[in-house]
Amino acid sequence: MMTVVGNNALICRPQSESCCASMKLGVLKLPACNCKAKSLGFHITGTEVKTTFLPHVRKTETSRTVHINGKSASSHQPGYNSNDEISAIDFSGFSGKSIPLTSTNGNSTNIVWHKCSVEKSDRQELLQQRGCVIWITGLSGSGKSTVACALGRGLHARGKLTYILDGDNVRHGLNRDLNFAAEDRAENIRRIGEVAKLFVDAGVICIASLISPYREERDACRASLPEGDFIEVFMDVPLHVCEARDPKGLYKLARAGKIKGFTGIDDPYEPPLKSEIVLRQNQGLCDSPDDFADVVISYLDKNGYLKA
């Protein structure tokens, strides 16, 4: 006998005249006999099965307030009444588990944070180090990228896992859609800060090397991380020294008016006020990148970042 449920065809074969077979509906086995089916909310008429087991329902939303990164945000907890249909995705609500609280963050709505059993502490234990971001800031030509590479090399030699987010390198991929207008420079910093945060959560020592001229943007990156996970390193090299080096020829172009809004020339650089580490020339002598890297490594070692 062919039994139709909605658009699905099911075949039932009775075992005998006095015995009703069972038919499968999804993962539920339902008796084909009408007397038992009615008790479960099914009505069998001929070859047609009608059900009142799942009433027509409609989602309703109840507003709640949650806190995301220290800010309040409206959120919605799905609920149901009997006036509309329920979609297949909502059957998860019948598992006996509570429906997750959804939230709004920026332009993203109806999102849920999915927590996994392997956490940051587990990854740090595996790597035998503490995840953190070492944010190297300073003028163009101050030696940020060179020191970042020396630092990565020094930590690698100690068996520590690092990754460098260089300002120019990131603009070759993730941030290639951004220019150097004020709003795009701010977005550049924000994106790098978010990527750095992911590396930190992975237990990696992330070295971010970029001018990042404004305190507000650097402080925002710091605020997005747990206390102690953001280490600001200021390359305190005077403008005249950076301009004399001019490794990319950018100062020359800026002085000629061919580059507008260049940090240190016609756009300001705001030096850090409370950076964890300051690297500067020693009595007019230029320390080597490895010397600077050793200063940072000593700080990490002393403060427990090089062990789980």
Side-chain angles (χ1 to χ4, degrees), residues 239-306:
L239 175 61
H240 71 273
V241 174
C242 296
E243 192 168 358
R245 294 174 179 172
D246 203 9
K248 303 175 186 177
L250 299 178
Y251 283 103
K252 184 177 180 180
L253 293 174
R255 292 293 187 188
K258 295 181 180 181
I259 296 179
K260 300 296 183 181
F262 190 77
T263 302
I265 302 300
D266 55 352
D267 202 63
Y269 176 81
E270 299 174 352
L273 300 177
K274 297 180 181 179
S275 59
E276 282 75 11
I277 301 172
V278 178
L279 301 177
R280 59 170 61 94
Q281 291 179 329
N282 184 19
Q283 297 179 350
L285 300 176
C286 186
D287 293 296
S288 73
D290 288 336
D291 291 335
F292 283 145
D294 286 343
V295 172
V296 180
I297 292 174
S298 294
Y299 176 91
L300 296 175
D301 198 10
K302 179 180 178 180
N303 289 277
Y305 290 93
L306 302 186

Side-chain angles (χ1 to χ4, degrees), residues 57-125:
V57 296
R58 186 180 71 177
K59 294 181 184 179
T60 59
E61 294 180 340
T62 56
S63 295
R64 296 188 181 184
T65 300
V66 296
H67 289 83
I68 302 172
N69 293 335
K71 298 180 179 179
S72 62
S74 63
S75 63
H76 303 285
Q77 169 68 50
Y80 301 99
N81 63 26
S82 58
N83 298 322
D84 208 338
E85 295 184 353
I86 184 170
S87 64
I89 195 171
D90 294 313
F91 285 114
S92 60
F94 290 93
S95 65
K97 298 179 180 180
S98 60
I99 299 174
L101 183 67
T102 60
S103 63
T104 297
N105 193 352
N107 292 327
S108 297
T109 59
N110 299 318
I111 56 175
V112 177
W113 183 269
H114 188 84
K115 186 175 177 64
C116 297
S117 57
V118 178
E119 299 183 338
K120 178 183 177 183
S121 58
D122 301 305
R123 294 184 283 271
Q124 292 183 145
E125 180 68 25

Side-chain angles (χ1 to χ4, degrees), residues 110-185:
N110 299 318
I111 56 175
V112 177
W113 183 269
H114 188 84
K115 186 175 177 64
C116 297
S117 57
V118 178
E119 299 183 338
K120 178 183 177 183
S121 58
D122 301 305
R123 294 184 283 271
Q124 292 183 145
E125 180 68 25
L126 179 68
L127 296 171
Q128 285 298 297
Q129 62 186 48
R130 281 178 55 192
C132 64
V133 55
I134 301 170
W135 193 280
I136 305 177
T137 177
L139 291 168
S140 177
S142 60
K144 300 180 301 299
S145 296
T146 306
V147 170
C149 289
L151 178 57
R153 185 169 59 249
L155 288 171
H156 182 78
R158 287 174 172 243
K160 303 306 173 184
L161 183 60
T162 67
Y163 195 84
I164 297 173
L165 294 175
D166 182 83
D168 277 6
N169 291 357
V170 174
R171 282 183 177 271
H172 279 79
L174 176 67
N175 292 348
R176 65 182 178 182
D177 59 318
L178 303 177
N179 58 38
F180 288 90
E183 60 275 13
D184 277 13
R185 295 185 76 172

